[in-house]
Amino acid sequence: MKRPLTMIAAALISLSGLTQVQATDSREIIWLSAAERSALMEEMRKFLSTSQQILVATLVEDMARVESVARPMGVKLMKETPQSLTEKLPTGFTQLGPQAHLGFEDIADEASGLGDQKVILQRLAELQTSCVACHAVYQIKVREEK
Ligand code: HEC
């Protein structure tokens, strides 16, 4: 009987924690249109799901799969970023962004080359420092331009 209550309490605590974080969010704001934000967040979700798929494939040493999921997130996707969006992004962002894309490209290269499991994991860990670094500094808000 205690369990559901404990879960509700935990949920409430984490919710209030969340509100606190948002109320004191001092990360630099990047203003984008709703469409730009939505496209960028879609890319972010792909980053996360690809990272997860790389982990799973690496654990079973399926290097063909590692390459096939990592490659599309690399230089190819980086080149697809529209100029109109890049112009709105601060320098720190436009440095960390490519770093993430190149990290995926490096993983794809290792997978199609020697395919060393440990090297892939090291590169993924390194790549994730760019995710963490960027999230620590920036937040996105929507403002439509007239
Ligand atoms: C160049 C900066 C940058 C890099 C690099 C970056 N992100 Fe993000 N990401 C952001 C920003 C900014 C947001 C929005 C945060 C906010 O507004 O609170 C975000 C949001 C997200 C979200 C939420 C998406 C949604 O639908 O709301 C996910 C998931 C995410 N990032 C995953 C990742 C992963 C995984 C990586 C690394 C492989 C990564 N990101 C690398 C800047 C970055």
Side-chain angles (χ1 to χ4, degrees):
M1 277 314 278
K2 253 187 182 165
R3 208 181 149 83
L5 273 182
T6 318
M7 279 165 65
I8 292 167
L12 283 176
I13 288 164
S14 68
L15 265 179
S16 65
L18 204 70
T19 323
Q20 251 173 22
V21 168
Q22 278 169 354
T24 60
D25 194 339
S26 57
R27 295 175 301 167
E28 186 178 327
I29 297 170
I30 300 173
W31 294 99
L32 298 179
S33 70
E36 287 165 337
R37 180 187 180 277
S38 154
L40 196 64
M41 290 305 101
E42 193 183 333
E43 191 173 301
M44 289 295 153
R45 294 191 297 276
K46 277 192 207 158
F47 273 180
L48 181 59
S49 77
T50 303
S51 303
Q52 195 269 344
Q53 291 173 68
I54 290 171
L55 265 180
V56 171
T58 305
L59 286 171
V60 296
E61 290 192 73
D62 183 349
M63 291 304 149
R65 172 115 185 105
V66 173
E67 191 197 359
S68 76
V69 296
R71 190 71 75 192
M73 293 295 111
V75 177
K76 184 179 177 290
L77 194 59
M78 186 166 87
K79 286 185 179 159
E80 282 172 15
T81 312
Q83 183 69 26
S84 57
L85 174 59
T86 315
E87 280 164 7
K88 289 186 177 178
L89 302 170
T91 314
F93 196 101
T94 53
Q95 281 168 351
L96 285 166
Q99 210 168 301
H101 288 294
L102 293 175
F104 283 114
E105 195 74 36
D106 283 349
I107 288 172
D109 287 344
E110 175 63 27
S112 67
L114 291 178
D116 186 319
Q117 206 178 13
K118 196 167 174 196
V119 173
I120 304 269
L121 292 176
Q122 278 166 346
R123 289 188 182 176
L124 184 58
E126 202 176 303
L127 155 66
Q128 288 183 338
T129 62
S130 67
C131 324
V132 175
C134 198
H135 296 157
V137 179
Y138 301 107
Q139 58 180 310
I140 289 171
K141 288 194 175 173
V142 170
R143 180 169 63 194
E144 299 298 342
E145 273 165 13
K146 306 270 142 54

